[in-house]
């Protein structure tokens, strides 16, 4: 690809996936990613691969593609996906509308900051943020809400003081924007996309879905779903 001046445009490459790792590209308010992570964690535990297969979270920032997150979209998707995964404990938004997190870029930045502490810290913090939003209507766009979720995690899973310092310095903001650049390439098909050490990628594995009516006004219809599809992904990551 070239720009109008005849110079080659820089197309960012997706970062390599380390052995024993599943690289997950997703948006924190994507219910399909939340369900997929439940299935991934369950498959890893069932296969005895906890501590062997790690998760590296990357940002697929839907709001930078589509604009602010609409409450109607997340509510309708939660109702649709809640029927196939009870463990998700989906709830529609119950707090006042003016507290709804129309942006989660700061939370995505926080996940990168937790990743810098360790991939385990990043994985557990990412999952805690999703559960805080989907099950307790926490406004995870706000700095204090983000830090509160981290502080509530058991066994000091995340160093909250280090997390706050990272957010206040903005040192991981560039990580989010670099992920956005990669998200615009063919390497990442959408949220969630799982990349494996063997170079393959799977978009929204295990779920076939269509929409009844327009997005955010209609509702998703799950045609088929297969949580066991994550078994093979976890086993391939472990090789």
């Amino acid at each position: 690809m070239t720009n109008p001046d005849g110079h080659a445009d820089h197309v960012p490459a997706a970062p390599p996936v380390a052995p024993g790792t599943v690289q997950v590209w997703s948006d924190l308010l994507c219910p399909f990613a939340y369900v997929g992570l439940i299935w991934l964690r369950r498959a890893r535990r069932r296969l005895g691969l906890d501590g062997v297969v790690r998760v590296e979270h990357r940002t697929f920032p839907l709001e930078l593609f589509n604009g602010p997150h609409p409450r109607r979209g997340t509510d309708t998707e939660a109702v649709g996906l809640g029927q196939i995964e009870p463990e998700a404990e989906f709830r529609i938004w119950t707090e006042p509308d003016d507290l709804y997190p129309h942006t989660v870029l700061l939370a995505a930045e926080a996940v990168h900051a937790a990743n810098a502490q360790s991939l385990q810290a990043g994985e557990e913090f990412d999952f805690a943020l999703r559960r805080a939003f989907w099950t307790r209507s926490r406004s995870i766009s706000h700095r204090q809400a983000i830090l509160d979720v981290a502080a509530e995690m058991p066994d000091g899973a995340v160093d909250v003081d280090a997390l706050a310092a990272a957010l206040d310095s903005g040192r991981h903001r560039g990580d989010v924007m670099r992920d956005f650049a990669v998200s615009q390439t063919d390497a990442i098909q959408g949220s969630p996309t799982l990349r494996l050490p063997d170079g393959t990628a799977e978009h929204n594995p295990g779920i076939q879905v269509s929409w009844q009516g327009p997005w955010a006004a209609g509702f998703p219809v799950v045609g088929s779903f297969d949580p066991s599809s994550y078994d093979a992904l976890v086993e391939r990551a472990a090789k």
Side-chain angles (χ1 to χ4, degrees), residues 59-146:
T59 307
F60 188 94
L62 288 170
E63 66 196 77
L64 297 184
F65 289 97
N66 304 325
H69 286 279
R71 174 185 167 180
R72 288 175 299 129
T74 52
D75 279 357
T76 53
E77 289 184 334
V79 171
L81 292 188
Q83 299 176 59
I84 69 169
E85 183 44 68
E87 188 179 316
E89 298 180 344
F90 280 115
R91 301 290 186 272
I92 62 172
W93 183 256
T94 57
E95 291 297 306
D97 282 349
D98 56 1
L99 295 180
Y100 184 84
H102 295 290
T103 175
V104 286
L105 290 181
L106 186 64
E109 190 176 327
V111 172
H112 275 282
N115 277 343
Q117 295 182 23
S118 72
L119 287 187
Q120 182 177 1
E123 177 186 351
E124 296 305 324
F125 182 50
D126 174 279
F127 196 70
L129 285 169
R130 294 177 198 267
R131 286 197 64 82
F133 171 74
W134 285 113
T135 71
R136 292 183 286 152
S137 294
R138 299 284 287 275
S139 186
I140 61 170
S141 62
H142 192 271
R143 176 187 181 276
Q144 191 57 53
I146 293 166

Side-chain angles (χ1 to χ4, degrees), residues 125-189:
F125 182 50
D126 174 279
F127 196 70
L129 285 169
R130 294 177 198 267
R131 286 197 64 82
F133 171 74
W134 285 113
T135 71
R136 292 183 286 152
S137 294
R138 299 284 287 275
S139 186
I140 61 170
S141 62
H142 192 271
R143 176 187 181 276
Q144 191 57 53
I146 293 166
L147 295 177
D148 286 346
V149 170
E152 293 162 6
M153 295 174 66
D155 303 323
V158 173
D159 184 329
V160 181
D161 290 340
L163 181 66
L167 288 180
D168 295 345
S169 71
R171 71 178 69 122
H172 294 285
R173 195 160 305 148
D175 295 330
V176 173
M177 299 313 296
R178 282 186 286 273
D179 282 357
F180 176 47
V182 175
S183 296
Q184 297 175 78
T185 72
D186 293 339
I188 311 298
Q189 298 177 48

Side-chain angles (χ1 to χ4, degrees), residues 13-18 20-25 40 53-56 58 182 185-190 192-205 233 236-237:
V17 183
T21 304
V22 179
Q23 200 176 74
V24 178
W25 293 71
L40 188 158
V53 173
R54 305 176 301 169
V55 173
E56 178 190 3
R58 294 282 181 156
V182 175
T185 72
D186 293 339
I188 311 298
Q189 298 177 48
T193 294
L194 280 65
R195 300 183 65 243
L196 301 176
D198 62 11
T200 61
E202 300 279 350
H203 175 228
N204 202 19
L233 297 176
R236 282 161 52 196

